[in-house]
Amino acid sequence: MQKIDKKNARIWSMLGMRRTIGMVINDMPDLDEKFVFMTADVARYFGTEKFQENYPSRIFDMGIAEQNMVGVAAGMLKEGSHVFAATYATFITARVLDQIRVSLGYMKLGVKLIGVGGGLAEGDLSATHMGLEDIADIRAIPNITIISPADCAETVKAMYALANYENPVYLRLSGRTNIPIVYKEEYDFQIGKANILLTGSEIALVATGTMVATALQVATELEKMDISCTLVDMHTIKPLDEECLDSLKNHKYLVSMEEHMVAGGMGSAIAEYYTSKKVRPIQLMIGVENEYPQAGEYEMLLQKCGLTKEKILDKINKFIE
């Protein structure tokens, strides 16, 4: 198993989450003797050449047939394999929703789905490749865990945690290459247990995916304004860490931040948790509003959708005023 340190964190960041997965799968057979990796015509994008050379019987490219891929993955799992199936986030969720609902949600088969390009990362290919509703799609189905790592180091941690993990999972990968680094050293990663990165008293920033790095920048600016912030990396969106959310109930404000449609995402899940609570913070949900952005480069789309440090600070200042 590879350890998190500054050198590895920097290498993984340059590779991006997708290529980091391609490196980590080389460790997986040592952690899980039944590990199998499956893709839908995107094996080369993950950089699986080394794995394919060393474990040719454990990798399957199913072609551009995502629905078939998940069906085959479920069948292989019934025969004893532990299958990780990977392709674009929007295709492995929306396009395959019926197979996921029946085989993973209803039958509780522990296939691990990996969706790359969650959010706006593939936006240069237009809205057809933007993974903007994937959390909402999967969150509505019972029995499926949803994990959205903050950076490449946390992606490594999540993959190791999923070795021999029995439940079905959707692992959502966001960002492109040169992902901002959040974790530079070893830390305790637990599925379903959020990481509290800063502790304050007035505003709770709860972020997931690559928005965690942006939230760190936002928190720094708010602290300069003498606004005390708690910052939470909510890497597991389902099940939510309710103990963590309960600890935030006395904050005056809570700002959820995600690279996903506002409707049905992590912010909605948090709001659902608080709706029955007598004591709760006032919530501001930050994400992609109710529209599909035009095709464009990743950084431009983040700007257009109001997901940059400056845009988010402006929204928070207007909100608390």
Side-chain angles (χ1 to χ4, degrees):
M1 292 177 60
Q2 301 180 65
K3 298 294 184 181
I4 297 176
D5 55 32
K6 291 182 180 179
K7 179 181 177 181
N8 281 338
R10 184 170 63 252
I11 292 171
W12 296 330
S13 169
M14 290 188 292
L15 291 172
M17 291 188 185
R18 176 164 51 194
R19 287 278 176 170
T20 297
I21 292 287
M23 290 183 62
V24 174
I25 61 173
N26 293 295
D27 296 338
M28 296 301 286
D30 292 332
L31 302 173
D32 179 357
E33 62 182 12
K34 298 180 180 180
F35 174 80
V36 169
F37 191 69
M38 186 178 290
T39 76
D41 198 45
V42 294
R44 62 191 182 278
Y45 297 137
F46 283 87
T48 59
E49 294 83 2
K50 181 179 178 182
F51 184 83
Q52 189 163 7
E53 180 181 342
N54 293 332
Y55 305 100
S57 64
R58 295 197 185 198
I59 183 167
F60 299 87
D61 193 327
M62 307 304 293
I64 306 175
E66 296 86 0
Q67 295 166 326
N68 183 56
M69 177 179 71
V70 172
V72 171
M76 289 182 67
L77 189 132
K78 288 283 286 183
E79 293 299 314
S81 297
H82 295 165
V83 186
F84 286 59
T87 188
Y88 289 104
T90 184
F91 299 153
I92 207 166
T93 54
R95 182 170 290 178
V96 194
L97 198 59
D98 181 59
Q99 285 76 13
I100 293 171
R101 178 177 178 269
V102 175
S103 296
L104 278 65
Y106 177 57
M107 297 179 67
K108 301 180 184 178
L109 298 178
V111 175
K112 311 302 184 290
L113 306 175
I114 302 176
V116 301
L120 300 163
E122 303 295 336
D124 54 342
L125 298 175
S126 84
T128 61
H129 284 61
M130 297 179 192
L132 297 175
E133 317 93 338
D134 52 331
I135 294 173
D137 290 339
I138 302 302
R139 199 169 68 83
I141 300 175
N143 304 315
I144 304 180
T145 299
I146 302 175
I147 301 173
S148 179
D151 65 2
C152 294
E154 191 157 72
T155 301
V156 173
K157 282 285 192 180
M159 284 291 288
Y160 290 155
L162 292 179
N164 299 305
Y165 183 75
E166 294 184 357
N167 297 339
V169 174
Y170 173 48
L171 178 62
R172 184 189 202 244
L173 309 182
S174 51
R176 304 197 80 168
T177 55
N178 295 310
I179 291 176
I181 297 171
V182 176
Y183 297 101
K184 299 179 182 178
E185 57 187 28
E186 277 295 317
Y187 70 100
D188 184 32
F189 177 92
Q190 296 181 42
I191 296 172
K193 186 69 175 177
N195 296 331
I196 299 177
L197 304 180
L198 298 172
T199 302
S201 58
E202 188 171 358
I203 296 181
L205 305 176
V206 183
T208 194
T210 51
M211 284 290 100
V212 175
T214 304
L216 276 168
Q217 298 175 345
V218 170
T220 298
E221 296 302 317
L222 290 174
E223 293 286 352
K224 291 178 182 177
M225 300 160 57
D226 294 324
I227 299 175
S228 178
C229 295
T230 294
L231 173 57
V232 176
D233 167 17
M234 190 65 75
H235 53 72
T236 304
I237 298 169
K238 184 179 180 181
L240 283 173
D241 185 346
E242 295 185 355
E243 182 180 349
C244 173
L245 291 178
D246 189 60
S247 73
L248 305 176
K249 65 184 179 183
N250 291 317
H251 287 66
K252 188 172 183 180
Y253 306 106
L254 184 147
V255 180
S256 59
M257 300 167 55
E258 58 193 317
E259 199 177 318
H260 182 274
M261 290 290 186
V262 170
M266 178 195 67
S268 294
I270 292 171
E272 290 167 16
Y273 169 77
Y274 280 124
T275 191
S276 63
K277 307 300 179 184
K278 292 182 179 180
V279 178
R280 58 181 182 266
I282 303 169
Q283 184 174 345
L284 169 65
M285 296 187 196
I286 292 178
V288 178
E289 298 299 332
N290 192 33
E291 65 174 353
Y292 290 110
Q294 292 184 348
E297 292 299 320
Y298 183 48
E299 290 73 17
M300 184 197 80
L301 290 171
L302 290 173
Q303 180 77 20
K304 177 177 173 55
C305 294
L307 298 179
T308 61
K309 177 189 74 174
E310 293 77 14
K311 296 276 189 178
I312 292 172
L313 278 169
D314 184 57
K315 289 180 182 180
I316 292 175
N317 286 327
K318 290 179 179 177
F319 180 69
I320 64 180
E321 286 173 1

